Amino acid sequence: MSAAYATFGLAPAMRAGGVLANGVFQVHRDFVDFIVDGRPLLFQLSDLDAVSPLASDVPPAIFTAQVRSLLLEADAPLPGGRYVIYGCPDCADLACGAVTAAIARDGDDYIWQDFAWQTDEQADLELNGYHGIGPFRFQGDEYRAALGSLLREAAEAPRRRVLLVGARVALLARLAAALRTIGVGADITDDVDGVPADELRAYGAVAFGRAVGEEQRARIRRAFTDAGVDVTYVDGLAPIVPLLVAQIEHALDRSPLDRRRLTRLVAADGEAGVEVTSPCRVQLTAYRLDRLYRTHTHEVFDGVLEPGRHRIPLDAKAVKGEAFVVARTSGSVLVEPMAR
């Protein structure tokens, strides 16, 4: 292949939802990201909290229209042959800001160029252009095959539903309500015997509370195995709703491991070890239970980290006793208990 070409592909991605330390709910979004030269294009846009137009929760007709638009089978939605590449994860309103690019054909090739941040109908390339990104020239066959696969194959939709199993019904009810608020369905049960396989296939994860015994866990695992349903199992670390939400968000992450921004978290000896693969904002939150099982929340770090491994000191008060650390970027979340 000529050096003038970039490779084009697609991969599952996620905008991580959650209950933030300030009490704000952040909506969970699954989408398909653009992979350029083997790397998510979104990673080249620093710490942008955005999703592509190829989101799993848009109606099928709109999803199909978005794919056909990128194939240039429909008129450009913005002047100058410009298309939205990434938009607001909460409302998709151009007024909130979007990354756009001009997409055109050159013979059989497709070219993405003149990337810009845009908040109205006209893009100001001089003021708001991403001058270090693109242009990208994609071979037509590769480009059409990747996008066309989304139309030809009725890919299995992400299973954004969680089964909650535990002894503390009030806690499970609060957890289910929090998950529903961020766009993740949740049901509460203590047994799945007799549940049809089609119903079990609706779940992407099963979360066990700390009081659930091994016999009950094994029975539920066996039911999913017998139904041929592959789910992720979550062992709840503590009866803290934001912490459990973070654990479940991690379990629902379908993005390939080698294409995530946040790849490592360790918490020990009064510090957190974090590894990221591209420049991004990282938020660290510590949760701890005191002797009366009251929850204490501490925001211990919020800043942009460069690619690589980082050691971040933690306030001793924040991780005293039984404590847990949550690391979050816009696209992923990791959780670790504080080792002693």
Side-chain angles (χ1 to χ4, degrees):
M1 177 181 293
S2 166
Y5 285 98
T7 62
F8 181 85
L10 302 169
M14 181 182 80
R15 190 275 187 125
V19 183
L20 306 186
N22 58 6
V24 172
F25 290 90
Q26 183 167 286
V27 176
H28 174 109
R29 298 290 304 279
D30 291 296
F31 64 99
V32 177
D33 200 5
F34 308 109
I35 308 300
V36 178
D37 284 336
R39 187 165 179 262
L41 180 59
L42 186 59
F43 288 10
Q44 297 191 40
L45 300 170
S46 188
D47 189 50
L48 184 66
D49 181 15
V51 300
S52 81
L54 307 177
S56 65
D57 53 355
V58 301
I62 295 178
F63 185 91
T64 297
Q66 295 285 11
V67 174
R68 295 198 181 282
S69 178
L70 293 171
L71 288 167
L72 305 186
E73 295 177 3
D75 292 336
L78 297 170
R82 301 190 69 79
Y83 296 77
V84 173
I85 306 300
Y86 297 106
C88 174
D90 297 313
C91 67
D93 192 329
L94 184 62
C96 287
V99 176
T100 66
I103 302 179
R105 290 283 297 273
D106 182 16
D108 195 47
D109 299 339
Y110 290 79
I111 298 176
W112 289 21
Q113 61 188 348
D114 296 334
F115 287 81
W117 178 254
Q118 195 165 341
T119 55
D120 54 35
E121 288 293 304
Q122 298 294 331
D124 187 333
L125 295 179
E126 184 174 348
L127 182 63
N128 296 316
Y130 287 98
H131 302 293
I133 299 179
F136 301 116
R137 177 183 290 269
F138 305 117
Q139 282 194 333
D141 289 346
E142 181 182 60
Y143 185 88
R144 286 188 295 270
L147 288 168
S149 67
L150 298 178
L151 300 177
R152 292 190 306 272
E153 302 169 5
E156 181 180 343
R159 290 175 288 162
R160 291 187 299 152
R161 195 162 196 85
V162 180
L163 190 63
L164 307 178
V165 184
R168 300 179 61 174
V169 177
L171 171 68
L172 294 180
R174 294 199 306 273
L175 175 57
L179 289 168
R180 292 169 189 148
T181 299
I182 68 171
V184 176
D187 297 306
I188 300 170
T189 190
D190 59 2
D191 200 351
V192 293
D193 287 347
V195 177
D198 285 346
E199 292 187 26
L200 296 181
R201 290 191 185 97
Y203 298 102
V206 176
F208 295 115
R210 295 202 294 188
V212 178
E214 189 52 45
E215 181 179 342
Q216 186 179 6
R217 293 170 187 247
R219 188 169 61 250
I220 290 174
R221 288 192 182 98
R222 186 164 53 250
F224 276 91
T225 299
D226 291 346
V229 181
D230 183 21
V231 297
T232 303
Y233 296 99
V234 178
D235 293 320
L237 289 173
I240 302 172
V241 169
L243 179 72
L244 295 171
V245 169
Q247 283 191 267
I248 290 169
E249 276 292 286
H250 173 67
L252 293 176
D253 192 347
R254 298 169 56 245
S255 60
L257 291 174
D258 61 350
R259 290 173 180 162
R260 297 182 186 181
R261 269 184 166 151
L262 180 62
T263 57
R264 179 175 178 266
L265 170 66
V266 294
D269 300 324
E271 65 180 22
V274 177
E275 184 173 6
V276 296
T277 60
S278 66
C280 60
R281 178 187 178 192
V282 175
Q283 296 169 288
L284 294 180
T285 306
Y287 299 93
R288 69 176 181 89
L289 293 172
D290 64 19
R291 294 181 180 180
L292 298 178
Y293 280 86
R294 294 173 298 191
T295 301
H296 300 266
T297 304
H298 303 268
E299 293 187 67
V300 293
F301 179 81
D302 188 346
V304 175
L305 298 180
E306 294 299 316
R309 294 188 175 186
H310 304 268
R311 298 170 64 176
I312 301 172
L314 302 175
D315 186 337
K317 293 181 180 178
V319 293
K320 180 181 179 181
E322 187 179 13
F324 311 87
V325 178
V326 174
R328 176 182 298 277
T329 68
S330 61
S332 57
V333 59
L334 292 177
V335 182
E336 283 292 326
M338 194 72 196
R340 300 297 174 186

